[in-house]
Amino acid sequence: METITINDKTFELSLPYEKLQQRIKELAEQLNDSLANKNPLFIVVLNGAFMFAADLIKYVNISCEITFIKLASYKDLHSSGNVKTLIGFNEDIKGRNIVIVEDIVDTGNTLEYIFEALRHHEPATVKIVTLLFKREVFTKATAPDYIGIEVSNEFLVGYGLDYNGYGRNFKSIYKLKK
Ligand code: IMP
Ligand code: MG
């Protein structure tokens, strides 16, 4: 089994690159179907979603705009629970069809924060696309609209996801070895 080491932790291969790409193409097709003629504004949540967003949006072939926000909520291996915006919205959101692009939805605190911040800007609709979803630990009412892969409650790195800032550069996704 392929493993990687980041600082003090060992991780083993969980979701190989090819599997991610296959699923991402399917997600993009879903978006192309349901958002045709909606001129969506994709809001990519940095840092984690940068790699997923870059791959996903290459397969999106409808008229759309793309922007980025930067948030932080994780420290070490656990969600800290308090989310803070580092770089906020500056596009015109009023009346737009928004699609939030996330790497992973865990407790849902980050999503809730983004929803709340967006609400004041009066978008027409807000949808969520996430590569990964930890349904077991999700505590909120509304789950993401477009889900790539459901994962169990394990700590993942690679393909944009980090462990204390490291590991984002790996092409595949690895899980913490027990
Ligand atoms: P939430 O606010 O608890 O839903 O957490 C969402 C954010 O925490 C994600 O956008 C990720 O940046 C980070 N996160 C959640 N789970 C993991 C993980 O397993 N590995 C790395 N980062 C994670
Ligand atoms: Mg994130």
Side-chain angles (χ1 to χ4, degrees):
M1 176 57 77
E2 186 190 337
T3 63
I4 56 167
T5 302
I6 301 172
N7 299 335
D8 53 332
K9 300 268 188 284
T10 305
F11 297 84
E12 59 190 19
L13 185 62
S14 177
L15 301 166
Y17 178 77
E18 295 70 24
K19 178 172 176 169
L20 296 175
Q21 292 302 313
Q22 175 56 40
R23 189 65 193 120
I24 289 167
K25 280 184 207 164
E26 292 168 2
L27 273 181
E29 280 161 24
Q30 252 185 292
L31 296 174
N32 289 334
D33 286 345
S34 54
L35 300 168
N37 308 315
K38 294 220 150 95
N39 193 34
L41 170 62
F42 288 97
I43 300 182
V44 179
V45 184
L46 297 174
N47 294 327
F50 79 99
M51 223 181 253
F52 168 51
D55 284 340
L56 178 77
I57 286 165
K58 277 178 227 164
Y59 301 113
V60 170
N61 56 20
I62 55 173
S63 161
C64 63
E65 288 184 277
I66 301 151
T67 190
F68 300 86
I69 53 168
K70 185 166 175 170
L71 300 158
S73 79
Y74 248 64
K75 204 151 186 5
D76 298 320
L77 302 175
H78 305 284
S79 189
S80 70
N82 54 47
V83 180
K84 37 180 204 262
T85 311
L86 302 179
I87 304 170
F89 311 110
N90 46 21
E91 310 301 303
D92 215 351
I93 284 163
K94 192 170 171 151
R96 294 296 303 268
N97 295 300
I98 306 297
V99 183
I100 296 168
V101 183
E102 263 285 25
D103 50 355
I104 185 163
V105 175
D106 189 309
T107 61
N109 285 330
T110 306
L111 271 193
E112 185 169 75
Y113 179 90
I114 296 170
F115 263 124
E116 190 52 30
L118 272 174
R119 212 166 51 82
H120 303 292
H121 296 269
E122 301 174 54
T125 60
V126 182
K127 301 279 185 206
I128 316 290
V129 56
T130 185
L131 177 62
L132 306 170
F133 182 42
K134 291 185 184 170
R135 195 182 286 276
E136 288 169 41
V137 282
F138 186 70
T139 58
K140 312 293 173 190
T142 29
D145 303 274
Y146 306 95
I147 297 164
I149 301 167
E150 292 201 15
V151 293
S152 54
N153 187 19
E154 52 203 6
F155 190 80
L156 304 168
V157 292
Y159 199 70
L161 296 161
D162 72 302
Y163 168 48
N164 283 346
Y166 289 86
R168 295 193 197 275
N169 50 309
F170 290 99
K171 281 170 77 172
S172 297
I173 293 179
Y174 297 78
K175 64 177 178 196
L176 184 65
K177 203 163 176 235
K178 300 206 180 79

